[in-house]
Amino acid sequence: MYDVLVFVYENYWHGGACPETEQLSVKLSSKGFEASDIADALNWLDGLRIATAGLQGDSTDTEDTPRPSESALRAWTLQPQSPHAMRVYSFEEQEHLGAEGLGFLRFLEDSQVLPSGMREVIIERAMAAPEAPLSLEELKIIVLMIYWSTGIEPDALVLDELCDDPEGRIAH
């Protein structure tokens, strides 16, 4: 499923540019993806569309429409969260996200690039993924797809963190 999601991310500028489900299914089949992976990915993408429906820009936006600003990203929340609030993860969420995944979400929040509303959509979509616990790489793909779906371009450093393989990094 994740290979299909990466393909969709790499080939469509944003969620609104992605073709309808049936057309996308045909395209993915022609690219050689397994039918079960395509079905899983399309179901997951349908859930993503529903989860982010109220959080995206107007669907009539065009490429000439300016992208959301950094302040818009910070303001993007389902419900405003107090600065002293703390997200308590259920046992099921802890098991499904794993320690690395929870740590990564915390890192994004501490870096102030993950508003609480976006975090909740990420958790919901991560819980919809069939594997448990998710690997860190799978969670990063989910985070990337949330940014993609909403049309919000992540900061360059965040994008680097989401796309870069940490195995090849050298500590200074």
Side-chain angles (χ1 to χ4, degrees):
M1 174 179 99
Y2 295 100
D3 290 337
V4 174
L5 294 177
V6 169
F7 176 86
V8 169
Y9 176 83
E10 290 175 345
N11 287 278
Y12 300 101
W13 176 248
H14 55 81
C18 193
E20 294 296 321
T21 303
E22 289 190 24
Q23 185 181 3
L24 181 58
S25 178
V26 170
K27 174 119 178 157
L28 294 169
S29 291
S30 72
K31 294 295 181 182
F33 290 105
E34 298 281 331
S36 62
D37 289 339
I38 293 171
D40 289 346
L42 292 178
N43 285 334
W44 192 89
L45 285 168
D46 283 341
L48 177 61
R49 183 183 45 77
I50 292 166
T52 60
L55 304 173
Q56 300 180 54
D58 182 2
S59 61
T60 61
D61 289 351
T62 64
E63 290 197 16
D64 296 334
T65 304
R67 299 183 90 46
S69 66
E70 186 174 324
S71 61
L73 172 62
R74 287 201 174 100
W76 184 54
T77 58
L78 298 176
Q79 294 181 356
Q81 179 174 310
S82 164
H84 304 293
M86 179 176 70
R87 173 61 155 90
V88 178
Y89 293 89
S90 70
F91 177 75
E92 291 81 12
E93 291 170 337
Q94 291 176 38
E95 289 290 310
H96 203 81
L97 294 169
E100 267 191 315
L102 292 170
F104 182 69
L105 291 177
R106 187 70 207 167
F107 162 75
L108 293 175
E109 287 181 283
D110 289 346
S111 301
Q112 297 182 338
V113 296
L114 183 63
S116 61
M118 186 180 275
R119 179 196 61 219
E120 294 306 313
V121 173
I122 290 168
I123 293 167
E124 187 275 329
R125 290 288 73 213
M127 295 300 289
E131 299 84 18
L134 291 175
S135 72
L136 183 56
E137 294 308 310
E138 292 167 342
L139 182 60
K140 285 180 177 184
I141 292 169
I142 290 170
V143 172
L144 197 60
M145 293 305 293
I146 303 300
Y147 276 106
W148 171 84
S149 176
T150 58
I152 298 171
E153 190 170 327
D155 177 86
L157 294 175
V158 172
L159 191 58
D160 184 53
E161 185 65 37
L162 292 171
C163 297
D164 190 31
D165 182 13
E167 297 296 319
R169 292 186 184 168
I170 298 174
H172 296 299

